[in-house]
Structure formats: C-alpha cells, structure tokens
Amino acid sequence: RGTGSSQNEKAAKYIAKQFKKYGLQPLGSDGYFQQFEAKVKRVVVPDSLRSARNVIGFLDNKASKTIVVGAHYDHLGEGKQGSSRAENSYGIIHNGADDNASGTAGLLELARIYTQNSIQEPVNFLFIAFGAEELGLVGSRYFVKNATIDLSKVHWMLNMDMIGRYNPENGVSIIGYGTSPAFETIFNEMNRTPFVKHYTGYEGRGGSDQTSFYEKDIPVLFFHTGGHDDYHKPTDDADKIDYQNLKGILELEQAVIEGSFKIKEMPFRNTDAKK
C-alpha cells in the first residue's frame, strides 16, 4: 500500500466500497475520495511526487457536533519509500498488518457498528481513512487545511494506528488524555473493569494523524499498542495480529465514545507546555 501504488489505490476503493455498503454519506471532494499529492522525502525512486487520497464517509445524525474517527491505510509498499527498517528490503512487500491494517480494520468496524445499530446517537460521525501518513501525516494535514466539514463543530478526534499487537503487561496506550479536561471526566466515570488493560498519555502530539487535529485545537485520543521488532519490516504480517484483544480495544473505544455523548463541550487544552 505504498503511496501512489496500484495496491494503495485498490485499498482506497475497498474502503470506499465498505463505506457505501454501510450507508455513509460521501464527504470527500470527489465522492468518498479527497485527492492530494504527497512527496517522498527520502527519495529511493525517481518519481518522488505521488498521487494520494483520503477516503471520507459521514454518518449524519442531525446533531450539532461531530466525532472524527480516523486511521491511515497506507504503508511502505515494496520498501521503496526509504523508511523500511529491514536490511536489503528494497523490492520486498511490506504488508503492514499492524501498521496500519489493524487501525483501518478498527475504523471499518466502528463505521459498521454505528451505522448498523438502531440508535441515533447525539453526535454525527466522520470516518476518515488517511492516505500518505507514512510520508509525514500528509493526508491528515491536507484534510484539516481543506476540511469537508466545519472543524469548529468537531467534538473530538479518535485515531487508531497500530492497535494489533496488544502487550498484556503494558496494555493499550491512549495518548491525548490531557488535550481536554473532559477526558478526565469520561475515564473517571467509566467502569474500566470489563475492558482491556490501558494507560493514558497526557500529550497531544505523537507520530500519527491525531497530531494534525491537535494542531487545530481539537481534543484527540490516539490508541496504540506500541512498537515491536516487526515495525516497518516485511515481517509485519497478519498471523501476528492479536485479533481477540483488537476486538477488546474497539470495545474500550466504544465506551469512551459513548461516554463523550454526555459531554456538551470538550474544551481544548494545549499540552505542549508541561502539565
């Protein structure tokens, strides 16, 4: 799924097909798609400027606020973008099962859940599969500069990147806890007992697409199961994904999402300064 590749294009079309199946409203600039160009900075191939796209679907619940749910769907393709951690990996397929097919699967599952239930939630949902994250958060940065909804109406943003390799000793990391005092209320009121082990990180910035929203003064939470030896290597394959705990992480995310329904306002807190 390297940016600009036919495989990446196929993945984008698959996501759009699922969005259509779930009845999401297309909210790109061209149907479900939002086109942009991304440059390969660590040039390993001569054609460094690539065509890319975000895939965007909207669940309109006629509410005043919208929760953005995001995950990037691109990866390293055949290791020609210059960011593979494996030796002699040029031309070898990097499947990126954890990074970030796991997050994309979570995105599609949450879209399925909230479109197929019989409840009209008190918020709208904007589901975004971001392109070109591996080239420097290009897709999410493009979106916030060319948003297809009013960003002032965004309640908060949930991002999933690498949620498939759960470590039972550490649990899942939830970065961005400090970006709104409302998150403290949500987690304090939530019964954490039934859910997978988790811990919170205060800061809003991090190496994934929630950073683009944080920089627009939007509260964010970033779910991440941590690094591992297969990160950015051809060995990041599907047989290593912990599917049971991936499901558990999504159940935790649902609890947080639904806890935020009770919060009328989510004031933004800049976490760049020390707590």
Side-chain angles (χ1 to χ4, degrees):
R1 302 184 306 280
T3 299
S5 69
S6 60
Q7 294 86 357
N8 196 53
E9 180 73 7
K10 186 175 181 180
K13 289 179 178 178
Y14 174 81
I15 295 166
K17 182 179 178 181
Q18 296 303 110
F19 281 179
K20 183 177 181 180
K21 176 182 175 181
Y22 299 149
L24 291 174
Q25 175 184 332
L27 213 63
S29 53
D30 178 17
Y32 290 106
F33 302 120
Q34 182 184 47
Q35 299 286 151
F36 61 93
E37 289 188 330
K39 187 175 183 179
V40 180
K41 296 178 182 178
R42 295 173 287 240
V43 179
V44 183
V45 289
D47 54 331
S48 61
L49 198 62
R50 308 288 183 85
S51 176
R53 53 176 57 175
N54 296 322
V55 191
I56 308 170
F58 185 60
L59 175 58
D60 187 0
N61 284 323
K62 311 301 180 184
S64 61
K65 294 289 186 179
T66 297
I67 295 176
V68 176
V69 180
H72 79 88
Y73 69 96
D74 65 299
H75 192 52
L76 308 186
E78 296 177 337
K80 299 176 181 179
Q81 295 180 186
S83 52
S84 176
R85 293 176 58 249
E87 293 184 7
N88 304 316
S89 60
Y90 185 92
I92 299 175
I93 293 171
H94 292 60
N95 282 318
D98 187 29
D99 186 15
N100 185 34
S102 64
T104 304
L107 175 76
L108 292 175
E109 178 63 0
L110 290 178
R112 185 194 68 79
I113 288 168
Y114 287 113
T115 56
Q116 304 302 302
N117 63 18
S118 57
I119 301 167
Q120 183 168 318
E121 293 82 12
V123 299
N124 310 313
F125 288 93
L126 189 69
F127 297 96
I128 311 178
F130 297 109
E133 187 271 353
E134 299 288 5
L135 299 181
L137 316 185
V138 182
S140 57
R141 292 198 191 281
Y142 184 86
F143 176 80
V144 297
K145 291 178 181 178
N146 303 273
T148 57
I149 63 168
D150 182 352
L151 290 182
S152 70
K153 303 297 184 183
V154 173
H155 203 36
W156 62 285
M157 188 270 187
L158 185 154
N159 183 42
M160 292 169 279
D161 191 354
M162 297 176 64
I163 56 171
R165 301 284 286 269
Y166 179 80
N167 183 333
E169 293 183 7
N170 299 326
V172 59
S173 170
I174 308 173
I175 296 168
Y177 179 78
T179 61
S180 177
F183 289 134
E184 299 168 22
T185 301
I186 292 167
F187 279 87
N188 287 338
E189 291 182 353
M190 185 176 71
N191 178 11
R192 302 193 189 193
T193 306
F195 301 111
V196 294
K197 185 177 180 180
H198 54 281
Y199 64 97
T200 55
Y202 188 81
E203 68 284 351
R205 295 184 186 276
S208 193
D209 292 305
Q210 84 287 342
T211 301
S212 302
F213 290 80
Y214 169 77
E215 291 172 348
K216 293 294 182 179
D217 295 349
I218 295 170
V220 297
L221 289 180
F222 166 32
F223 287 74
H224 178 58
T225 51
H228 47 75
D229 288 343
D230 298 309
Y231 171 69
H232 278 205
K233 291 181 180 179
T235 49
D236 180 9
D237 286 331
D239 60 347
K240 297 178 181 178
I241 297 296
D242 182 344
Y243 293 97
Q244 188 62 38
N245 281 308
L246 175 55
K247 178 176 180 289
I249 291 167
L250 293 177
E251 290 168 349
L252 172 61
E253 290 175 356
Q254 280 184 261
V256 176
I257 288 170
E258 289 159 23
S260 75
F261 293 168
K262 306 172 187 176
I263 308 294
K264 291 184 178 180
E265 297 294 333
M266 299 278 289
F268 174 76
R269 180 195 283 150
N270 187 316
T271 62
D272 289 352
K274 289 184 178 180
K275 185 175 178 182

